[in-house]
Amino acid sequence: MENIKSEAYGYLKDMFAQHHMVKRIILSFISIIVMGFGICLFSVSGFGVDPFTSMNMNIASTLGIGFGTYQLIVNAVILLYVIIVAHRGLVGVGTVFNMVGCGYSCEFFQNIFEPLVQNNYTYAVRVPLLIAGIITLCFACSLFFTANVGVGPYDALGFMLSRGIKLEHKWVRVITDLTVILIGLVVSGGLTAIFNGNISGVKNIGIGTIITAFCMGPLINIFNKYVSAKIFNVDYEQISKDIAFFMIKGAMLRNLTPEKNTKGKITINSNPYEILQ
């Protein structure tokens, strides 16, 4: 019981270790709603969605349950594993927002937009939707990461595996992304459809999925530098090339926060407390 109390206190302390927490929490919540909207535009465009979402959409469709509900269940299972195994610095109020809000907000916006494009489903409509989805999703991810009040359960899982198997996070992310895509293909029958030459039988995977894999990182970094960093009054220029580094370092060092510090700009050589401002 004492261990449980200690961990609960640790989580609360972690959540309020940074300055401007009210602002960070509010913007983190807003970013999840925007993220759901971006994923919705991706999905409605018909060019595929990001790997984790594609798996969840395919499995949810196969099981006959709502995407938001299924994503909540999967994220809850991952989060439970993260809490038990990982350092608690990876988990925060933003993790809960991501777990609960992303799927349901996407589902909400899909119910609005899908009927609007059904009768005009041409490339002239689909391509702008794809572009808008990419930009919106990258902005939302940038805002969420920059708020630094917890990472999404799927992202936390990647960080944990990277530390556990001593492999760079970017390669672990490739492995996990390929794995979830394969799971979604198998469960939905998409893999069988590919072997039978029926590409149209593949759902929620397409050029948008590939663009997401290769373009999200650079676009997120642009938003970090020119938008999110200004919103939160921080300088991510020195570490913008490696968001995973920032999140892991912040998570591992969060409990080392001293009582006083002079606030300054963040660089890759900043001390632990500066990184958490």
Side-chain angles (χ1 to χ4, degrees):
M1 180 62 74
E2 289 300 321
N3 288 337
I4 295 176
K5 289 181 179 179
S6 176
E7 283 297 301
Y9 172 76
Y11 272 107
L12 291 174
K13 183 178 69 174
D14 287 349
M15 284 173 57
F16 294 95
Q18 304 179 79
H19 287 307
H20 310 300
M21 278 303 296
V22 173
K23 178 180 179 180
R24 291 174 182 272
I25 289 173
I26 291 174
L27 289 176
S28 175
F29 177 78
I30 292 173
S31 74
I32 293 301
I33 304 300
V34 178
M35 198 178 297
F37 178 62
I39 295 173
C40 158
L41 295 180
F42 249 115
S43 179
V44 173
S45 75
F47 287 114
V49 291
D50 65 275
F52 186 56
T53 301
S54 73
M55 179 190 73
N56 291 336
M57 283 186 169
N58 281 335
I59 296 178
S61 177
T62 302
L63 295 178
I65 62 178
F67 165 65
T69 300
Y70 178 78
Q71 179 136 315
L72 173 61
I73 294 171
V74 171
N75 279 334
V77 172
I78 295 175
L79 180 59
L80 180 62
Y81 175 72
V82 170
I83 291 175
I84 294 173
V85 177
H87 186 282
R88 65 171 178 257
L90 289 171
V91 179
V93 65
T95 309
V96 178
F97 291 158
N98 186 291
M99 178 181 72
V100 178
C102 194
Y104 282 118
S105 60
C106 172
E107 201 169 31
F108 170 78
F109 287 118
Q110 272 190 301
N111 290 334
I112 296 174
F113 279 87
E114 280 187 341
L116 297 178
V117 301
Q118 281 180 348
N119 296 327
N120 190 25
Y121 205 58
T122 63
Y123 281 108
V125 173
R126 294 173 61 193
V127 172
L129 284 173
L130 175 63
I131 295 172
I134 292 172
I135 295 173
T136 303
L137 185 57
C138 287
F139 167 67
C141 288
S142 171
L143 197 62
F144 179 75
F145 290 150
T146 310
N148 193 28
V149 289
V151 302
Y154 181 64
D155 297 313
L157 182 63
F159 295 147
M160 289 170 53
L161 291 174
S162 178
R163 293 210 317 258
I165 64 178
K166 309 300 181 184
L167 186 64
E168 287 185 65
H169 178 263
K170 62 182 179 181
W171 298 118
V172 171
R173 187 58 182 250
V174 170
I175 294 171
T176 55
D177 282 351
L178 290 175
T179 301
V180 296
I181 287 174
L182 182 60
I183 292 172
L185 283 172
V186 171
V187 173
S188 65
L191 193 61
T192 301
I194 292 175
F195 287 139
N196 292 332
N198 180 23
I199 303 301
S200 62
V202 178
K203 300 177 181 178
N204 301 310
I205 298 174
I207 187 64
T209 310
I210 298 174
I211 292 174
T212 300
F214 289 98
C215 295
M216 275 192 71
L219 283 174
I220 288 173
N221 287 334
I222 290 173
F223 278 116
N224 282 346
K225 182 177 180 180
Y226 295 105
V227 182
S228 299
K230 297 184 185 303
I231 292 175
F232 290 100
N233 192 29
V234 293
D235 181 8
Y236 286 167
E237 186 173 357
Q238 297 299 316
I239 57 176
S240 63
K241 293 182 179 180
D242 193 354
I243 295 173
F245 168 84
F246 173 76
M247 298 305 297
I248 292 174
K249 192 166 186 178
M252 294 300 292
L253 299 176
R254 188 167 294 179
N255 286 331
L256 300 180
T257 303
E259 292 182 359
K260 295 182 180 180
N261 186 71
T262 301
K263 188 176 180 182
K265 289 188 175 182
I266 295 173
T267 71
I268 199 166
N269 297 314
S270 297
N271 66 50
Y273 187 62
E274 288 175 320
I275 291 175
L276 297 175
Q277 298 306 299

